[in-house]
Amino acid sequence: MEYLPAAAAPVQGHILCCQCGVPIPPNPANMCVGCLRAQVDITEGIPKQGTVHFCKQCERYLQPPGTWIHCALESRELLALCLKKIKASLSKVRLIDAGFIWTEPHSKRLKLKLTVQKEVINGAVLQQVFVVEYIVQSQMCEDCHRIEAKDFWKAVVQVRQKTVHKKTFYYLEQLILKHRLHQNTLRIKEIHDGLDFYYSSKQHAQKMVDFLQCTVPSRSKSSQRLISHDIHSNVYNYKSTFSVEIVPICKDNVVCLSPKLAQSLGNMSQICVCIRVTSTIHLIDPRTLQIAEIDGNTYWRHPFNSLFHPKQLEEFIIMDINRVHEKKKGAGAGARSHKHTLAEAWVRKTSELDTDHQYFCCTHLGHILNPGDLVLGFDLANCNLNDEFANKMNPQHIPDVVLIKKSYDRCKRQRRRNWKLKELERDKEGTDTDEERQYQDFLEDLEEDETIRKNINIYRNADIPVESDTDDDGAPRISLAEMLEDLHISQDATGGEGAEMLT
């Protein structure tokens, strides 16, 4: 038997290009890549230029036919939007890769580098890389048109509070800024008893109403008015109005509860002090430190009013004070405050220092008051209480004086206040001479109440230097750790990867 040697592996030969004669590996087209590209252009029919519409007001791009979306530069969302522009043309080829080529943010140009494949002559697959350039054109969206018009609105939220002081509105303003609920408003108008928020859609107005009901104790009702009606398409055009009424109680108000409500809150005294208004009304009994919270529904079932206005606050001086460490709880008494200290004090009005007339009272401010301190309070002994429940009370159960808060030098506090708050842009109906004093009262409340300022954003004021504590008179202050740095973006900044479109 004769053994034959093993066959060697076949060596691939070369052929000559049918066009230029260059030796190439065999392929179904029998042409080199250069000649094949010269004969066939697989990108034919795909536009190399396009247009993208961009709204400078809201920084959104138009996704045809009528949707506006937020896209950062060189983001997936913007890449998908650009590819949809040429989606019909790309159906004849296979898209392998797509990406952005960096351009200056101010050039108003977007460049896409695309890699496509297509089967050409006799089944040969050709791959090609090309660039599509988009021109960014400015076009104002419909929402921004309505904002600029200022009179084109479909829904309005009317927020009202029948009080003299605007502390609750200042607090509500900061919550709206923190949660950015003012972005969809067409216009904000300030009137005597509150604010009006105008919207382009009923859904945005309903969102604001829901936020208000979760933030402050309030009640709301809605109505709508027919503007136009198309009988052929059965389309109705309404303007909706939402009325939100906030409870007429502010911080530092002295209130008189109804006997039924006071009993349901753990046999509290009818005369109480409002120490805070958040989503509920926080009350404290200055005689027992008993605390209670009243939500909006409970208030509207058992309404009560404030006995005094903030302008009726009088200044007292502490002559003597004794802290009460233990006080026996009454039958069915509720929870007590652990942040306050019960004390018995003898006070005298600063306007009556030339007399020997003193007043005895119980106070919840025993933790911050000492003999000689100045304190603000209300004089119930020398006033006429025009209140439904107070007139029916036993005079022995009505205190002579109710102390509200310790008094500090307002000018010194204002001078060293190294923080600030942001404000809503709104149209004012008229200027109130007492508005500045009310705003300063709100700022002082933020310094004195840590619970309230946790819910809002406080910004560092770089214009006022940080003072040392050597000249400290004991007034509450906000620490630097609770402040945020106010961000300022310059107009000549350039955006990197993922940056927003700058115009």
Side-chain angles (χ1 to χ4, degrees), residues 346-363:
W346 287 93
V347 297
R348 180 185 297 179
K349 289 184 181 180
T350 54
S351 59
E352 299 178 354
L353 292 179
D354 54 343
T355 65
D356 295 333
H357 192 191
Q358 295 186 11
Y359 301 90
F360 174 79
C361 64
C362 293
T363 179

PDB file of all heavy atoms in Angstrom, residues 346-363:
ATOM      1  N   TRP A 346     -43.339  87.779  87.506  1.00  0.00           N
ATOM      2  CA  TRP A 346     -43.914  89.091  87.790  1.00  0.00           C
ATOM      3  C   TRP A 346     -43.330  90.059  86.770  1.00  0.00           C
ATOM      4  O   TRP A 346     -42.116  90.150  86.612  1.00  0.00           O
ATOM      5  CB  TRP A 346     -43.581  89.560  89.211  1.00  0.00           C
ATOM      6  CG  TRP A 346     -44.350  88.831  90.272  1.00  0.00           C
ATOM      7  CD1 TRP A 346     -43.969  87.717  90.956  1.00  0.00           C
ATOM      8  CD2 TRP A 346     -45.651  89.174  90.760  1.00  0.00           C
ATOM      9  NE1 TRP A 346     -44.951  87.326  91.836  1.00  0.00           N
ATOM     10  CE2 TRP A 346     -46.008  88.215  91.740  1.00  0.00           C
ATOM     11  CE3 TRP A 346     -46.555  90.194  90.466  1.00  0.00           C
ATOM     12  CZ2 TRP A 346     -47.195  88.247  92.420  1.00  0.00           C
ATOM     13  CZ3 TRP A 346     -47.762  90.231  91.148  1.00  0.00           C
ATOM     14  CH2 TRP A 346     -48.078  89.270  92.115  1.00  0.00           C
ATOM     15  N   VAL A 347     -44.209  90.735  86.031  1.00  0.00           N
ATOM     16  CA  VAL A 347     -43.756  91.626  84.963  1.00  0.00           C
ATOM     17  C   VAL A 347     -44.353  93.012  85.169  1.00  0.00           C
ATOM     18  O   VAL A 347     -45.350  93.191  85.883  1.00  0.00           O
ATOM     19  CB  VAL A 347     -44.151  91.079  83.574  1.00  0.00           C
ATOM     20  CG1 VAL A 347     -43.479  89.739  83.306  1.00  0.00           C
ATOM     21  CG2 VAL A 347     -45.665  90.956  83.438  1.00  0.00           C
ATOM     22  N   ARG A 348     -43.716  93.971  84.520  1.00  0.00           N
ATOM     23  CA  ARG A 348     -44.206  95.354  84.561  1.00  0.00           C
ATOM     24  C   ARG A 348     -44.037  95.939  83.168  1.00  0.00           C
ATOM     25  O   ARG A 348     -43.039  95.686  82.481  1.00  0.00           O
ATOM     26  CB  ARG A 348     -43.420  96.179  85.581  1.00  0.00           C
ATOM     27  CG  ARG A 348     -43.890  97.630  85.682  1.00  0.00           C
ATOM     28  CD  ARG A 348     -43.006  98.425  86.624  1.00  0.00           C
ATOM     29  NE  ARG A 348     -43.078  97.899  87.993  1.00  0.00           N
ATOM     30  CZ  ARG A 348     -42.387  98.394  89.016  1.00  0.00           C
ATOM     31  NH1 ARG A 348     -41.539  99.415  88.810  1.00  0.00           N
ATOM     32  NH2 ARG A 348     -42.506  97.878  90.217  1.00  0.00           N
ATOM     33  N   LYS A 349     -45.026  96.730  82.744  1.00  0.00           N
ATOM     34  CA  LYS A 349     -44.930  97.379  81.440  1.00  0.00           C
ATOM     35  C   LYS A 349     -43.808  98.411  81.444  1.00  0.00           C
ATOM     36  O   LYS A 349     -43.626  99.137  82.423  1.00  0.00           O
ATOM     37  CB  LYS A 349     -46.254  98.068  81.084  1.00  0.00           C
ATOM     38  CG  LYS A 349     -47.395  97.136  80.762  1.00  0.00           C
ATOM     39  CD  LYS A 349     -48.611  97.943  80.327  1.00  0.00           C
ATOM     40  CE  LYS A 349     -49.787  97.034  80.024  1.00  0.00           C
ATOM     41  NZ  LYS A 349     -50.976  97.802  79.590  1.00  0.00           N
ATOM     42  N   THR A 350     -43.063  98.469  80.345  1.00  0.00           N
ATOM     43  CA  THR A 350     -42.003  99.487  80.253  1.00  0.00           C
ATOM     44  C   THR A 350     -42.595 100.889  80.165  1.00  0.00           C
ATOM     45  O   THR A 350     -41.917 101.866  80.484  1.00  0.00           O
ATOM     46  CB  THR A 350     -41.136  99.215  79.012  1.00  0.00           C
ATOM     47  OG1 THR A 350     -41.974  99.137  77.844  1.00  0.00           O
ATOM     48  CG2 THR A 350     -40.368  97.906  79.158  1.00  0.00           C
ATOM     49  N   SER A 351     -43.847 100.976  79.734  1.00  0.00           N
ATOM     50  CA  SER A 351     -44.499 102.286  79.689  1.00  0.00           C
ATOM     51  C   SER A 351     -45.030 102.707  81.055  1.00  0.00           C
ATOM     52  O   SER A 351     -45.483 103.842  81.222  1.00  0.00           O
ATOM     53  CB  SER A 351     -45.656 102.262  78.681  1.00  0.00           C
ATOM     54  OG  SER A 351     -46.606 101.266  79.035  1.00  0.00           O
ATOM     55  N   GLU A 352     -44.978 101.804  82.067  1.00  0.00           N
ATOM     56  CA  GLU A 352     -45.477 102.109  83.416  1.00  0.00           C
ATOM     57  C   GLU A 352     -44.385 101.910  84.462  1.00  0.00           C
ATOM     58  O   GLU A 352     -44.663 101.473  85.580  1.00  0.00           O
ATOM     59  CB  GLU A 352     -46.684 101.215  83.738  1.00  0.00           C
ATOM     60  CG  GLU A 352     -47.869 101.400  82.798  1.00  0.00           C
ATOM     61  CD  GLU A 352     -49.016 100.450  83.124  1.00  0.00           C
ATOM     62  OE1 GLU A 352     -48.820  99.581  84.007  1.00  0.00           O
ATOM     63  OE2 GLU A 352     -50.094 100.560  82.511  1.00  0.00           O
ATOM     64  N   LEU A 353     -43.149 102.205  84.103  1.00  0.00           N
ATOM     65  CA  LEU A 353     -42.052 102.020  85.052  1.00  0.00           C
ATOM     66  C   LEU A 353     -42.125 103.007  86.217  1.00  0.00           C
ATOM     67  O   LEU A 353     -41.514 102.783  87.275  1.00  0.00           O
ATOM     68  CB  LEU A 353     -40.701 102.151  84.332  1.00  0.00           C
ATOM     69  CG  LEU A 353     -40.357 101.035  83.335  1.00  0.00           C
ATOM     70  CD1 LEU A 353     -39.017 101.309  82.680  1.00  0.00           C
ATOM     71  CD2 LEU A 353     -40.338  99.688  84.047  1.00  0.00           C
ATOM     72  N   ASP A 354     -42.850 104.119  86.026  1.00  0.00           N
ATOM     73  CA  ASP A 354     -42.949 105.109  87.098  1.00  0.00           C
ATOM     74  C   ASP A 354     -44.034 104.745  88.113  1.00  0.00           C
ATOM     75  O   ASP A 354     -44.244 105.466  89.079  1.00  0.00           O
ATOM     76  CB  ASP A 354     -43.249 106.491  86.498  1.00  0.00           C
ATOM     77  CG  ASP A 354     -44.471 106.472  85.597  1.00  0.00           C
ATOM     78  OD1 ASP A 354     -44.878 105.353  85.186  1.00  0.00           O
ATOM     79  OD2 ASP A 354     -45.008 107.547  85.284  1.00  0.00           O
ATOM     80  N   THR A 355     -44.700 103.602  87.864  1.00  0.00           N
ATOM     81  CA  THR A 355     -45.723 103.139  88.804  1.00  0.00           C
ATOM     82  C   THR A 355     -45.261 101.838  89.448  1.00  0.00           C
ATOM     83  O   THR A 355     -44.254 101.248  89.056  1.00  0.00           O
ATOM     84  CB  THR A 355     -47.062 102.923  88.079  1.00  0.00           C
ATOM     85  OG1 THR A 355     -46.911 101.862  87.133  1.00  0.00           O
ATOM     86  CG2 THR A 355     -47.502 104.191  87.348  1.00  0.00           C
ATOM     87  N   ASP A 356     -46.026 101.388  90.431  1.00  0.00           N
ATOM     88  CA  ASP A 356     -45.716 100.129  91.115  1.00  0.00           C
ATOM     89  C   ASP A 356     -46.626  99.000  90.659  1.00  0.00           C
ATOM     90  O   ASP A 356     -46.697  97.952  91.315  1.00  0.00           O
ATOM     91  CB  ASP A 356     -45.857 100.308  92.635  1.00  0.00           C
ATOM     92  CG  ASP A 356     -44.833 101.287  93.188  1.00  0.00           C
ATOM     93  OD1 ASP A 356     -43.757 101.409  92.565  1.00  0.00           O
ATOM     94  OD2 ASP A 356     -45.126 101.920  94.223  1.00  0.00           O
ATOM     95  N   HIS A 357     -47.298  99.197  89.535  1.00  0.00           N
ATOM     96  CA  HIS A 357     -48.265  98.201  89.073  1.00  0.00           C
ATOM     97  C   HIS A 357     -47.537  97.045  88.380  1.00  0.00           C
ATOM     98  O   HIS A 357     -46.836  97.246  87.389  1.00  0.00           O
ATOM     99  CB  HIS A 357     -49.266  98.852  88.117  1.00  0.00           C
ATOM    100  CG  HIS A 357     -50.443  97.966  87.829  1.00  0.00           C
ATOM    101  ND1 HIS A 357     -51.354  98.231  86.839  1.00  0.00           N
ATOM    102  CD2 HIS A 357     -50.870  96.804  88.415  1.00  0.00           C
ATOM    103  CE1 HIS A 357     -52.282  97.294  86.811  1.00  0.00           C
ATOM    104  NE2 HIS A 357     -52.001  96.417  87.765  1.00  0.00           N
ATOM    105  N   GLN A 358     -47.692  95.850  88.926  1.00  0.00           N
ATOM    106  CA  GLN A 358     -47.080  94.662  88.351  1.00  0.00           C
ATOM    107  C   GLN A 358     -48.158  93.641  88.012  1.00  0.00           C
ATOM    108  O   GLN A 358     -49.269  93.667  88.548  1.00  0.00           O
ATOM    109  CB  GLN A 358     -46.065  94.035  89.322  1.00  0.00           C
ATOM    110  CG  GLN A 358     -44.863  94.929  89.612  1.00  0.00           C
ATOM    111  CD  GLN A 358     -43.828  94.218  90.462  1.00  0.00           C
ATOM    112  OE1 GLN A 358     -43.907  93.011  90.672  1.00  0.00           O
ATOM    113  NE2 GLN A 358     -42.859  94.971  90.953  1.00  0.00           N
ATOM    114  N   TYR A 359     -47.799  92.726  87.115  1.00  0.00           N
ATOM    115  CA  TYR A 359     -48.726  91.683  86.667  1.00  0.00           C
ATOM    116  C   TYR A 359     -48.089  90.323  86.923  1.00  0.00           C
ATOM    117  O   TYR A 359     -46.876  90.132  86.724  1.00  0.00           O
ATOM    118  CB  TYR A 359     -49.030  91.815  85.166  1.00  0.00           C
ATOM    119  CG  TYR A 359     -49.632  93.150  84.769  1.00  0.00           C
ATOM    120  CD1 TYR A 359     -48.818  94.219  84.400  1.00  0.00           C
ATOM    121  CD2 TYR A 359     -51.010  93.339  84.743  1.00  0.00           C
ATOM    122  CE1 TYR A 359     -49.358  95.434  84.017  1.00  0.00           C
ATOM    123  CE2 TYR A 359     -51.568  94.546  84.366  1.00  0.00           C
ATOM    124  CZ  TYR A 359     -50.730  95.595  84.012  1.00  0.00           C
ATOM    125  OH  TYR A 359     -51.268  96.803  83.633  1.00  0.00           O
ATOM    126  N   PHE A 360     -48.934  89.392  87.341  1.00  0.00           N
ATOM    127  CA  PHE A 360     -48.465  88.021  87.551  1.00  0.00           C
ATOM    128  C   PHE A 360     -48.984  87.150  86.395  1.00  0.00           C
ATOM    129  O   PHE A 360     -50.135  87.280  85.969  1.00  0.00           O
ATOM    130  CB  PHE A 360     -48.984  87.472  88.884  1.00  0.00           C
ATOM    131  CG  PHE A 360     -48.648  86.019  89.100  1.00  0.00           C
ATOM    132  CD1 PHE A 360     -47.380  85.647  89.525  1.00  0.00           C
ATOM    133  CD2 PHE A 360     -49.602  85.032  88.873  1.00  0.00           C
ATOM    134  CE1 PHE A 360     -47.070  84.312  89.718  1.00  0.00           C
ATOM    135  CE2 PHE A 360     -49.302  83.702  89.068  1.00  0.00           C
ATOM    136  CZ  PHE A 360     -48.021  83.338  89.485  1.00  0.00           C
ATOM    137  N   CYS A 361     -48.119  86.274  85.896  1.00  0.00           N
ATOM    138  CA  CYS A 361     -48.527  85.413  84.783  1.00  0.00           C
ATOM    139  C   CYS A 361     -47.700  84.137  84.789  1.00  0.00           C
ATOM    140  O   CYS A 361     -46.610  84.084  85.365  1.00  0.00           O
ATOM    141  CB  CYS A 361     -48.371  86.131  83.439  1.00  0.00           C
ATOM    142  SG  CYS A 361     -46.666  86.556  83.035  1.00  0.00           S
ATOM    143  N   CYS A 362     -48.244  83.122  84.138  1.00  0.00           N
ATOM    144  CA  CYS A 362     -47.507  81.891  83.849  1.00  0.00           C
ATOM    145  C   CYS A 362     -47.052  81.947  82.392  1.00  0.00           C
ATOM    146  O   CYS A 362     -47.803  82.416  81.522  1.00  0.00           O
ATOM    147  CB  CYS A 362     -48.382  80.663  84.074  1.00  0.00           C
ATOM    148  SG  CYS A 362     -48.846  80.374  85.794  1.00  0.00           S
ATOM    149  N   THR A 363     -45.853  81.478  82.133  1.00  0.00           N
ATOM    150  CA  THR A 363     -45.302  81.559  80.790  1.00  0.00           C
ATOM    151  C   THR A 363     -44.589  80.275  80.427  1.00  0.00           C
ATOM    152  O   THR A 363     -44.108  79.536  81.300  1.00  0.00           O
ATOM    153  CB  THR A 363     -44.335  82.755  80.660  1.00  0.00           C
ATOM    154  OG1 THR A 363     -43.795  82.782  79.340  1.00  0.00           O
ATOM    155  CG2 THR A 363     -43.210  82.658  81.667  1.00  0.00           C
TER     156      THR A 363
END
